[in-house]
Amino acid sequence: MISGGKYPSTRLRRTRRNIFSRNLVRETVLTVEDLVYPIFVVDGKKKLIPVDSMPGIHRISLDNLDGVANECLKFGIPAIALFPYIDEKLKTDDGRESFNDQGLIARAVRLLKINYPELGVITDAALDPYTTHGQDGLVDADGHILNDETVVVLEKQAICCANAGADVIAPSDMMDGRISKIRNALESSNLKNTLILSYASKFASSFYGPFRSAVGSSMNLGTKGKATYQLDFSNINEALREVEMDIEEGADIVMVKPGMPYLDVVRAITDNYLIPTFVYQVSGEYAMLKGAFKNQWLPEKETIIESLTCFKRAGASAILTYFALDAAKALTSSNSAT
Ligand code: PBG
């Protein structure tokens, strides 16, 4: 399959010589249609609260969502992913605010689906923004994360979001068996067309720090990690087993997270399974790149487009990225292909 060739009959620089031929032989093309924009929402009026560790990213109150929704639609970004920052007073040990029909996410989804029906809306299934302990699941007296008990709450959260109109439920919690339980709950609630985007291959990572500040879970989590449910970053076989199980349980799409250090996992999934695979360029990757742009250590537009294109080259069909709007602007203004 590998077609090498011998110098000088083969000179690989020939096709690189001109823009026209570089354009014609390009194997991977990034488009705005590959992008999903994660958005943090907060209660209150006229709020646009900067997230310190994520320059350019804000927590947005629902009355201010029009701006971003319109921008996404204008550029042709197909979908957004919503994450809540909720009042500490609403947090409990059992995270029950996560399935409140009148809760922040349910209201956000209803508003968006009424005003922007064509914009896909993805909501997370995980408890960390809602719990006093900042874990994605319920915790027993010894500090262990309870699996099956958590899944019962995730089912309720998924049904609550799907009833509000969410197009896609994205379980990011890494409990065992949650995809089949959520799938069954959706089927029996007559929500047969709701997609499940499983964070199937989600690693216990230091790259989530800025996100945890953005959703207000980092103080609560403290120094406790998520290693008893998220994957060990040393393991790829285990990541593939997670993917396989989630496919069998009824996931429509699987995701790898974080992104850049895990391109081998994306490639292995897309080589082995026919399911669409997304990748999440997470908050820490965003923060890292933003820091370098600010110091002019890296060129902004070019680095964004390169980082995103390489996810596609690894096999991803879409990318969740805080750079979605920047990338869309770069792509539409574009000579970026040169
Ligand atoms: C919640 C969740 C996390 C992210 C998405 N959903 C954080 C975590 O698992 O601690 C991280 C996203 C990012 O870092 O941008 N379960």
Side-chain angles (χ1 to χ4, degrees), residues 201 203 205 207-208 256-267 278-290 292-293 298 302-314 316 319-321 323:
S201 174
F203 292 85
S205 171
F207 287 96
Y208 306 148
V256 176
K257 172 184 177 195
M260 200 142 77
Y262 296 86
L263 294 180
D264 58 325
V265 182
V266 179
R267 171 48 62 206
F278 289 6
V279 61
Y280 199 143
Q281 183 180 49
V282 298
S283 57
E285 298 174 67
Y286 176 84
M288 219 161 52
L289 291 173
K290 280 299 245 192
F293 301 155
L298 293 173
E302 293 78 0
T303 311
I304 292 173
I305 298 300
E306 178 181 338
S307 69
L308 299 175
T309 304
C310 293
F311 290 130
K312 285 212 73 187
R313 193 202 58 229
I319 306 144
L320 276 76
T321 173
F323 288 121

Side-chain angles (χ1 to χ4, degrees), residues 83 124 126 128 136 172 199 202 207-208 211-212 226 230 257 280 282-283 322:
F83 297 98
D124 222 49
D128 49 333
D136 294 24
S172 73
Y199 287 70
K202 176 171 178 177
F207 287 96
Y208 306 148
F211 172 97
R212 291 179 188 166
K226 301 190 177 182
Q230 298 178 347
K257 172 184 177 195
Y280 199 143
V282 298
S283 57
Y322 302 97

